[in-house]
Structures are given as structure tokens and as C-alpha cells.
Amino acid sequence: WLDPGFPAEFDLSAEVARIRVPTLILQGENDPYGTAAHARLAERLAPGEVRTVMLAAHHAPHVEAGEETIAEIARFVARVGR
């Protein structure tokens, strides 16, 4: 997305609107590339269940907030796996 040849009109909205499985979005609160607005848009567009968790991290919550990331994934899987 930083490459000058990357299309400015890049949009995954149509693809997100086809997601029908439960989805967990883990987003870093301080991510310089994605924002809470991106996650909220996915929540509105996806017809399936979407849960968003904002973590105290930048772009790599799995590295920067590993324990919290694992805990959120475990909670989500336990709930949707019932």
C-alpha cells in the first residue's frame, strides 16, 4: 500500500461482505496502518458474527501483546465452538 503503483481505490468491502463465518478482529490501538474505523467497517459489512478487540499494541498484536492475543483467541474459539 506504500508502493506508488498500489491502486488508490483498493477496497476489500465486497470480499468482507461475503464472510459468513464467525470472525475475530484483533487490532492494535496504535497501528499506523489500520484504524478502529477499519474494524468497525468490517463489523458493519460482514453478514456473519464479527468481534473486534482493540489491544494495546501497534501493528503486530501477536508479538507486542502476545498473552492478551492468545487469551482473546481462546475466548472467541471457546464461545463460537459451542
Side-chain angles (χ1 to χ4, degrees):
W1 56 90
L2 300 177
D3 185 299
F6 194 81
E9 69 280 350
F10 182 75
D11 184 358
L12 293 173
S13 296
E15 288 78 7
V16 171
R18 290 193 292 263
I19 298 173
R20 299 202 177 344
V21 297
T23 303
L24 174 62
I25 298 173
L26 298 173
Q27 176 77 41
E29 293 173 341
N30 300 305
D31 189 334
Y33 304 108
T35 67
H38 292 113
R40 302 296 176 235
L41 179 62
E43 290 174 349
R44 286 193 304 278
L45 293 175
E49 173 190 355
V50 178
R51 173 168 163 67
T52 298
V53 178
M54 301 301 291
L55 296 170
H58 292 89
H59 189 63
H62 64 290
V63 174
E64 301 162 19
E67 289 184 26
E68 295 87 353
T69 298
I70 291 169
E72 290 296 340
I73 292 169
R75 275 192 283 277
F76 185 75
V77 170
R79 193 175 51 68
V80 300
R82 291 184 192 150

